[in-house]
Amino acid sequence: VGVGSGWEQLGAAGESGAKVDLGSFDGLVLRLRGDGQRYKVRLWTGDVKGAEEWAAVGSAVGSAPLPGAWEYQCPFDTIVGRWMEVMVRFKDFVPVKGKAMEDPLAPALDCRDIRAVGLTLSKLDFNGHPNPFHRGGPFRLELDSVTAVGEPRPAIVMVSSAGVERNARAVTPELRAAEIPIVRLNPGGTLNYKYAAEWAVRTAGAPYAIVRPTGLLPAPEVGAAAAAAAAPP
């Protein structure tokens, strides 16, 4: 249970230099009960340069040494007095430095090299923007568990087309004439077939992903692309 006032942070880390490999997972699920405020999960990765020197300084001033070279944060909201499960996906973590400023020089989050996990309550979201759910004074966040989880991968990936639903709605000549070119033309009834195929995929009972591109072009040959780039204007 984290109880306090103002800005606060809680964390957990292994022995110095230890790391946890979460590369086969997609995120963390936290079972918690909060107070309606917005908190952040913090992750650290990488070896800290001069870790021994920093640890000595931290001990002298009463501060904890940095658990990793790079820090990443992801916000989550709570509901007053309600136990809930919150998932924070690794792809949504933002590299930060200083007072929650985005760090453009930080590498992408390496989930195979997690050095520590923490929680924080801050007045700021990112880049100087205020946390809209922050309240001054006492706070309370009860944390029951933290679990690394993976999300299901699609067993079927279908490449459909943009405009399939618009085509289905164009039921009169007037509506079709007012549509975008691909819907007006609908060559060979392609959009009808793709829309029917989408529903077959959706009802197949397997995890799926449907992609609706506006257009796909063949990739040029490497030699041709290089020659085109080198050609004078």
Side-chain angles (χ1 to χ4, degrees):
V1 180
V3 181
S5 61
W7 180 88
E8 184 68 17
Q9 56 183 355
L10 304 170
E15 298 178 359
S16 177
K19 58 183 178 181
V20 176
D21 184 354
L22 298 180
S24 59
F25 299 94
D26 297 303
L28 302 174
V29 170
L30 294 79
R31 185 175 185 276
L32 51 81
R33 179 164 63 182
D35 55 5
Q37 299 196 75
R38 175 173 294 173
Y39 295 81
K40 293 179 184 177
V41 177
R42 309 171 75 190
L43 298 177
W44 288 269
T45 67
D47 290 318
V48 179
K49 295 181 179 180
E52 294 181 359
E53 292 80 357
W54 171 247
V57 173
S59 177
V61 299
S63 301
L66 291 173
W70 307 101
E71 180 181 350
Y72 305 80
Q73 297 182 355
C74 183
F76 64 91
D77 296 331
T78 63
I79 299 174
V80 178
R82 179 184 297 180
W83 282 102
M84 55 193 299
E85 289 189 348
V86 174
M87 181 171 184
V88 288
R89 293 172 172 83
F90 293 139
K91 65 182 182 64
D92 295 330
F93 276 79
V94 176
V96 298
K97 61 180 179 179
K99 294 185 177 181
M101 298 297 292
E102 289 191 52
D103 186 355
L105 301 180
L109 173 60
D110 184 358
C111 299
R112 302 165 300 175
D113 185 32
I114 302 298
R115 303 305 178 96
V117 180
L119 296 172
T120 185
L121 171 63
S122 172
K123 294 180 180 179
L124 300 176
D125 263 359
F126 296 106
N127 300 324
H129 292 285
N131 175 353
F133 300 106
H134 178 269
R135 301 189 306 269
F139 71 91
R140 183 180 182 91
L141 180 65
E142 300 175 68
L143 181 64
D144 179 60
S145 62
V146 179
T147 307
V149 297
E151 295 187 290
R153 300 294 192 265
I156 303 172
V157 178
M158 177 192 169
V159 179
S160 183
S161 173
V164 292
E165 290 185 88
R166 299 180 67 158
N167 175 70
R169 293 195 295 266
V171 295
T172 67
E174 293 77 15
L175 290 174
R176 189 166 297 278
E179 272 293 353
I180 58 177
I182 185 62
V183 175
R184 291 201 304 268
L185 295 173
N186 190 18
T190 299
L191 298 180
N192 302 72
Y193 294 125
K194 285 187 175 290
Y195 198 42
E198 283 190 13
W199 280 106
V201 169
R202 294 178 194 275
T203 57
Y208 66 86
I210 294 175
V211 183
R212 289 178 173 175
T214 55
L216 296 175
L217 299 175
E221 297 182 5
V222 176

